[in-house]
Amino acid sequence: MGRVWRGRDETLGREVAVKEVTLPQGVSDEQRAVLLERVMREARAAARLNHPGIITVHDVVEHEGAPVIVMEYVTGPSLAAAVAQEGHLPVRRVAEIGVLMLKALSRAHASGIVHRDLKPDNVLLMDDRVIITDFGIAHMSDATMTLTHTGTIIGTPAYMAPEQLEGKPPTPATDLWSLGATLYSALEGRPPFSAETFSALCVAIVMQEPPVPERAGRLAPLLAALLTKDPARRASAEQALAALEAVSRGAEPAEPAERAEPAERAEPAEPAERAEPAEPAEIQAQAAPAPAPGPAPDPAPALAPTDVPPSGPQPVPVAGTTPRPQSVPALALLLRGVGCFALIWAGTMLPYNYIREWHGNLRELLISATALVVALVNTSLRPRWPVAPAWLLFVVVNLALFMAVALIWPIWGLLGVLCNALLLGTACWALWWSVPGSRSR
């Protein structure tokens, strides 16, 4: 869908990203002119979106017969790169990312723009911002299909909603499916659907249920509600935001309520500019993404699914790819182990732990061995619990360890044992929480 350069705004002295939208081959000059005008109009509409979660568009111009979009230059990695580096992200972090993504999407939907190609590659992480990019060529897909009559669907199929693959007009519910698939990928390290061929992938998305996620935890019901086939029964933006905010705070999200299918539902009015959707007989995969929002209204309130599948088939790996690592990275375990060992030695300098007379010769080795055992025990703890119960687990385990050590070396009273357990347990819990990739999910 385009070529992107890193450029420099010489007037304002800032770096920018410059994207030239490549128009499809095989169209007449008249069709190209219509397509150019439409892309420019939609890019200007996206430029009016003012939200920290949406890429800022500085300018839209025509250069040598092609639309060029000048955007802010983002230095942070994409969500896809972060998942590739760590294997998968923690539940709470994914919930925090999902909250910011959903707020940005809601702003776009309120302006009549549907992204249509939301995926981890189009989500950028910079400091405390989560930025959705590739708004601005939102109607490109619809226009291309109308002008070329090839039935081509432009986008990334693994994250496209079933109704989108069937050639139906996009709605905000289409982006909510893609949001669910993106969050699923961040949690599991792989998209919810994959297959050996493009056709098999489309069939899986339209006909099959996604595999039950193993690391989603409290987000599992929401993922099932977002990945519901029927857009009319899919979780609404309000339901999704409430669940994501609850998990990001460490609370339990409300279960999506079951709601009956409406007896009759009016068909959404077709916008004047919208052309007939292409038949999906000749759907082809494209090498690069092309988002395309449409001003079509949501046909009905999105509803939560009535059935959450208890199980599902495992996805078939895409040819030429390597499965994501599912275990905790060795570097994270090493960092936690070294950190715990260092904390134990630092703790011997506390006033109530004044055991300098125990240092030296054989006792020095015994203290080192004891510190190593305590560090290994703390490093091996990988609870799948919320924050507060996990902290209590670390404190209780360290309390048991220090009581055992006190029985061997009677150098502490009960108060010293309790203080050591509380301090070391809290510090080791903080390492478990903060070291990237150290948690089980």
Side-chain angles (χ1 to χ4, degrees):
M1 285 303 300
R3 305 180 184 92
V4 183
W5 289 273
R6 174 172 153 186
R8 180 172 177 80
D9 185 332
E10 295 181 345
T11 302
L12 299 179
R14 62 183 176 186
E15 289 186 320
V16 294
V18 182
K19 180 166 188 173
E20 176 193 2
V21 181
T22 55
L23 301 181
Q25 300 295 323
V27 296
S28 65
D29 292 341
E30 182 180 356
Q31 292 172 331
R32 182 174 292 271
V34 173
L35 182 56
L36 175 62
E37 179 184 358
R38 187 169 188 175
V39 172
M40 294 286 288
R41 182 171 64 252
E42 293 303 325
R44 294 190 183 102
R48 291 193 291 269
L49 293 176
N50 183 18
H51 191 275
I54 298 176
I55 195 78
T56 300
V57 177
H58 298 311
D59 200 1
V60 183
V61 298
E62 178 184 347
H63 177 67
E64 296 181 353
V68 176
I69 305 173
V70 182
M71 301 172 288
E72 67 172 311
Y73 176 66
V74 179
T75 57
S78 68
L79 178 59
V83 173
Q85 180 179 1
E86 299 194 28
H88 56 85
L89 302 183
V91 171
R92 190 166 183 176
R93 174 59 175 152
V94 172
E96 293 169 349
I97 292 173
V99 168
L100 298 178
M101 289 178 61
L102 191 51
K103 289 181 178 180
L105 286 174
S106 297
R107 173 64 63 88
H109 293 165
S111 300
I113 296 179
V114 180
H115 192 290
R116 277 200 55 153
D117 192 27
L118 187 64
K119 58 183 179 179
D121 286 299
N122 283 340
V123 180
L124 306 179
L125 310 176
M126 184 175 68
D127 301 327
D128 58 348
R129 291 178 64 191
V130 175
I131 308 166
I132 300 177
T133 187
D134 262 354
F135 281 103
I137 47 177
H139 276 311
M140 184 70 172
S141 299
D142 290 339
T144 301
M145 287 190 292
T146 303
L147 293 172
T148 61
H149 301 286
T150 62
T152 298
I153 286 185
I154 300 178
T156 307
Y159 297 94
M160 293 172 69
E163 66 270 19
Q164 194 174 358
L165 292 174
E166 293 172 346
K168 297 179 181 178
T171 68
T174 302
D175 281 347
L176 291 177
W177 167 282
S178 299
L179 173 67
T182 298
L183 299 181
Y184 186 109
S185 178
L187 289 164
E188 299 296 302
R190 53 178 172 79
F193 296 96
S194 60
E196 292 285 353
T197 65
F198 176 74
S199 299
L201 175 60
C202 293
V203 171
I205 293 175
V206 174
M207 303 298 296
Q208 300 176 8
E209 297 297 335
V212 176
E214 300 175 357
R215 298 183 175 88
R218 290 167 291 162
L219 286 180
L222 175 61
L223 294 182
L226 289 174
L227 295 177
T228 301
K229 307 294 185 186
D230 184 358
R233 302 181 67 82
R234 199 167 294 155
S236 67
E238 292 76 12
Q239 289 174 320
L241 183 60
L244 288 168
E245 287 181 334
V247 175
S248 68
R249 295 191 305 266
E252 288 292 335
E255 289 289 335
E258 293 188 0
R259 297 174 61 181
E261 178 82 18
E264 294 183 0
R265 188 169 66 251
E267 292 296 326
E270 192 73 4
E273 289 188 7
R274 183 175 300 284
E276 290 297 322
E279 292 297 326
E282 298 181 33
I283 296 177
Q284 300 173 358
Q286 300 296 316
D298 197 351
L303 304 178
T306 56
D307 293 303
V308 178
S311 62
Q314 293 300 315
V316 179
V318 178
T321 62
T322 303
R324 303 282 192 204
Q326 303 299 327
S327 59
V328 176
L331 179 59
L333 295 177
L334 178 61
L335 291 175
R336 286 181 58 196
V338 172
C340 291
F341 188 83
L343 287 168
I344 295 169
W345 271 98
T348 63
M349 298 296 105
L350 294 174
Y352 60 87
N353 283 337
Y354 190 78
I355 54 175
R356 186 174 300 171
E357 61 272 16
W358 285 80
H359 287 203
N361 301 327
L362 180 59
R363 292 194 178 101
E364 195 82 21
L365 295 176
L366 292 176
I367 292 175
S368 299
T370 303
L372 180 60
V373 171
V374 174
L376 289 175
V377 172
N378 278 280
T379 304
S380 66
L381 293 178
R382 293 163 51 194
R384 293 176 175 266
W385 301 344
V387 178
W391 170 81
L392 184 60
L393 172 65
F394 276 89
V395 172
V396 170
V397 169
N398 280 279
L399 178 61
L401 290 171
F402 276 103
M403 289 183 67
V405 173
L407 293 176
I408 301 173
W409 297 344
I411 55 178
W412 293 301
L414 180 59
L415 181 59
V417 170
L418 292 175
C419 290
N420 285 335
L422 181 61
L423 289 176
L424 186 61
T426 301
C428 292
W429 166 84
L431 286 172
W432 164 81
W433 177 255
S434 61
V435 173
S438 65
R439 280 175 279 172
S440 299
R441 56 174 176 82

